[in-house]
Short mmCIF file of all heavy atoms in Angstrom, two decimals:
data_model
loop_
_atom_site.label_atom_id
_atom_site.label_comp_id
_atom_site.label_asym_id
_atom_site.label_seq_id
_atom_site.Cartn_x
_atom_site.Cartn_y
_atom_site.Cartn_z
N GLU M 177 267.83 99.62 112.27
CA GLU M 177 267.19 98.47 112.96
C GLU M 177 267.57 97.17 112.20
O GLU M 177 266.72 96.42 111.76
CB GLU M 177 265.69 98.66 113.01
CG GLU M 177 265.25 99.89 113.74
CD GLU M 177 265.63 99.90 115.23
OE1 GLU M 177 266.00 98.84 115.74
OE2 GLU M 177 265.60 100.98 115.86
N GLU M 178 268.86 96.96 112.09
CA GLU M 178 269.41 95.84 111.30
C GLU M 178 268.83 94.49 111.68
O GLU M 178 268.67 93.59 110.85
CB GLU M 178 270.93 95.84 111.44
CG GLU M 178 271.65 94.76 110.67
CD GLU M 178 271.89 93.48 111.46
OE1 GLU M 178 271.50 93.46 112.68
OE2 GLU M 178 272.42 92.52 110.92
N HIS M 179 268.47 94.31 112.98
CA HIS M 179 267.96 93.01 113.40
C HIS M 179 266.62 92.66 112.73
O HIS M 179 266.29 91.49 112.59
CB HIS M 179 267.77 92.98 114.94
CG HIS M 179 266.84 94.04 115.44
ND1 HIS M 179 267.22 95.35 115.62
CD2 HIS M 179 265.53 93.99 115.80
CE1 HIS M 179 266.20 96.06 116.06
NE2 HIS M 179 265.15 95.26 116.17
N MET M 180 265.87 93.69 112.29
CA MET M 180 264.61 93.45 111.60
C MET M 180 264.79 93.12 110.13
O MET M 180 263.84 92.76 109.45
CB MET M 180 263.69 94.66 111.79
CG MET M 180 263.32 94.97 113.22
SD MET M 180 262.20 96.35 113.42
CE MET M 180 260.67 95.69 112.74
N PHE M 181 266.03 93.27 109.64
CA PHE M 181 266.34 92.87 108.26
C PHE M 181 266.18 91.36 108.10
O PHE M 181 265.84 90.88 107.01
CB PHE M 181 267.80 93.29 107.98
CG PHE M 181 268.38 92.77 106.69
CD1 PHE M 181 268.14 93.40 105.49
CD2 PHE M 181 269.17 91.62 106.67
CE1 PHE M 181 268.67 92.94 104.31
CE2 PHE M 181 269.72 91.14 105.49
CZ PHE M 181 269.45 91.81 104.30
N TRP M 182 266.43 90.62 109.17
CA TRP M 182 266.39 89.17 109.11
C TRP M 182 264.99 88.64 109.32
O TRP M 182 264.70 87.91 110.28
CB TRP M 182 267.36 88.58 110.12
CG TRP M 182 268.73 89.14 109.98
CD1 TRP M 182 269.25 90.20 110.64
CD2 TRP M 182 269.74 88.71 109.05
NE1 TRP M 182 270.53 90.48 110.21
CE2 TRP M 182 270.87 89.55 109.24
CE3 TRP M 182 269.80 87.68 108.12
CZ2 TRP M 182 272.04 89.40 108.50
CZ3 TRP M 182 270.98 87.53 107.40
CH2 TRP M 182 272.07 88.36 107.59
N SER M 183 264.09 89.01 108.47
CA SER M 183 262.67 88.59 108.57
C SER M 183 262.38 87.57 107.47
O SER M 183 263.29 87.05 106.79
CB SER M 183 261.75 89.80 108.44
OG SER M 183 261.87 90.35 107.13
N LYS M 184 261.09 87.30 107.23
CA LYS M 184 260.72 86.32 106.23
C LYS M 184 261.03 86.83 104.83
O LYS M 184 261.04 86.05 103.85
CB LYS M 184 259.24 85.99 106.33
CG LYS M 184 258.30 87.18 106.18
CD LYS M 184 256.86 86.78 106.38
CE LYS M 184 255.94 87.98 106.21
NZ LYS M 184 254.49 87.59 106.43
N THR M 185 261.27 88.13 104.68
CA THR M 185 261.64 88.68 103.37
C THR M 185 263.15 88.94 103.27
O THR M 185 263.59 89.70 102.41
CB THR M 185 260.91 90.02 103.12
OG1 THR M 185 261.21 90.95 104.19
CG2 THR M 185 259.39 89.81 103.07
N ALA M 186 263.93 88.31 104.15
CA ALA M 186 265.36 88.54 104.18
C ALA M 186 266.05 88.23 102.85
O ALA M 186 266.93 88.98 102.41
CB ALA M 186 266.02 87.71 105.31
N ASP M 187 265.62 87.17 102.17
CA ASP M 187 266.22 86.81 100.90
C ASP M 187 266.04 87.90 99.85
O ASP M 187 266.94 88.24 99.11
CB ASP M 187 265.68 85.48 100.39
CG ASP M 187 266.15 84.30 101.25
OD1 ASP M 187 267.09 84.48 102.01
OD2 ASP M 187 265.53 83.22 101.15
N LYS M 188 264.81 88.43 99.80
CA LYS M 188 264.53 89.47 98.81
C LYS M 188 265.26 90.78 99.17
O LYS M 188 265.72 91.49 98.29
CB LYS M 188 263.02 89.68 98.72
CG LYS M 188 262.28 88.52 98.12
CD LYS M 188 260.81 88.80 97.96
CE LYS M 188 260.11 87.60 97.29
NZ LYS M 188 258.65 87.81 97.11
N SER M 189 265.33 91.06 100.46
CA SER M 189 266.07 92.25 100.89
C SER M 189 267.54 92.13 100.56
O SER M 189 268.17 93.09 100.11
CB SER M 189 265.90 92.47 102.41
OG SER M 189 264.56 92.67 102.75
#
Side-chain angles (χ1 to χ4, degrees):
E177 301 296 346
E178 181 268 357
H179 59 280
M180 297 181 70
F181 170 83
W182 306 95
S183 65
K184 60 183 180 181
T185 58
D187 290 344
K188 292 183 178 180
S189 298

